[in-house]
Amino acid sequence: MYLCIDINLKLKNMRKILLICTMAILVFACKTGTTAPTAPEPVSNAPMNKLDKTSQVGMKGNWQITNVAYPGSDYIKVNSFNLADSKCFVGSTWKFISNNNKGNMTLNSPNCTGFTSDITWYVNKEGQFVLKILDEGLKSKKVKTGFVLGVANQSENSFQLIDKINVGSKPTDVVYQFQRIN
């Protein structure tokens, strides 16, 4: 009889210990940790649920790049958006449709190869312009690469997109100046 009571007490104690351990694991597993700054997510994974609608609506319409500026532009060539020399973007036309985050762009500089493409785009809450240039016949979800640029000096008739690049391992800003047309 004493042996039976002793076993029952040990089982009850083990159940209590198991229950306490399970509760402790659940508490620590659900605890929010301190967050360190992380690198930006790849464009294909960039969330679209946190958008800066005001900036996006302000960009709605037809635009033209009137200038591309960066330090050393007289000596250094920059291949913008993996498409062409940055100087080829001066005079290019861009159409932004804010209600569905689509549009198109056309490179039409006389000294450069012409190029036209559909795009998808949005401005996130951090003020970053996220751009995907779509190959013909591909939907945005199939395109895994894109570009993240800063937005600056936005007004009713102009804004700037700023691309951060490295030139000789030195960070450099490439500034695309957009002017509203129409």
Side-chain angles (χ1 to χ4, degrees):
M1 178 153 165
Y2 290 112
L3 181 60
C4 191
I5 292 173
D6 190 37
I7 291 175
N8 281 340
L9 281 174
K10 286 182 181 181
L11 283 175
K12 282 184 180 181
N13 286 338
M14 288 186 70
R15 284 184 187 146
K16 285 181 185 177
I17 291 171
L18 185 62
L19 180 64
I20 290 171
C21 288
T22 303
M23 296 287 275
I25 289 171
L26 287 174
V27 167
F28 288 112
C30 295
K31 178 183 173 192
T32 59
T34 58
T35 57
T38 58
E41 293 181 6
V43 172
S44 60
N45 296 334
M48 283 190 59
N49 57 353
K50 295 182 180 176
L51 303 178
D52 184 347
K53 293 282 189 187
T54 305
S55 291
Q56 285 189 181
V57 169
M59 290 178 179
K60 178 182 176 181
N62 297 308
W63 298 84
Q64 183 175 49
I65 295 181
T66 57
N67 189 35
V68 179
Y70 56 93
S73 61
D74 293 337
Y75 320 109
I76 303 167
K77 289 189 178 222
V78 171
N79 187 359
S80 296
F81 306 109
N82 298 329
L83 292 175
D85 182 74
S86 61
K87 290 181 175 46
C88 293
F89 281 80
V90 175
S92 65
T93 56
W94 297 66
K95 182 176 184 175
F96 300 113
I97 304 169
S98 62
N99 66 340
N100 66 3
N101 301 101
K102 294 184 180 184
N104 59 58
M105 49 94 56
T106 300
L107 298 182
N108 49 13
S109 177
N111 299 328
C112 302
T113 303
F115 178 81
T116 299
S117 180
D118 289 333
I119 60 171
T120 60
W121 65 283
Y122 61 92
V123 180
N124 63 22
K125 288 289 186 190
E126 290 78 31
Q128 296 171 316
F129 183 91
V130 181
L131 170 70
K132 286 185 183 180
I133 298 173
L134 306 178
D135 292 329
E136 190 173 334
L138 281 183
K139 295 198 180 255
S140 175
K141 63 184 173 184
K142 298 283 185 188
V143 177
K144 302 296 181 199
T145 59
F147 305 90
V148 180
L149 300 97
V151 177
N153 301 318
Q154 185 176 7
S155 71
E156 187 177 323
N157 293 312
S158 67
F159 69 93
Q160 295 173 331
L161 291 183
I162 302 171
D163 193 8
K164 300 208 175 282
I165 65 167
N166 283 317
V167 176
S169 68
K170 181 181 172 191
T172 303
D173 288 348
V174 178
V175 180
Y176 300 91
Q177 180 68 48
F178 284 79
Q179 192 72 35
R180 186 179 297 278
I181 52 179
N182 292 11

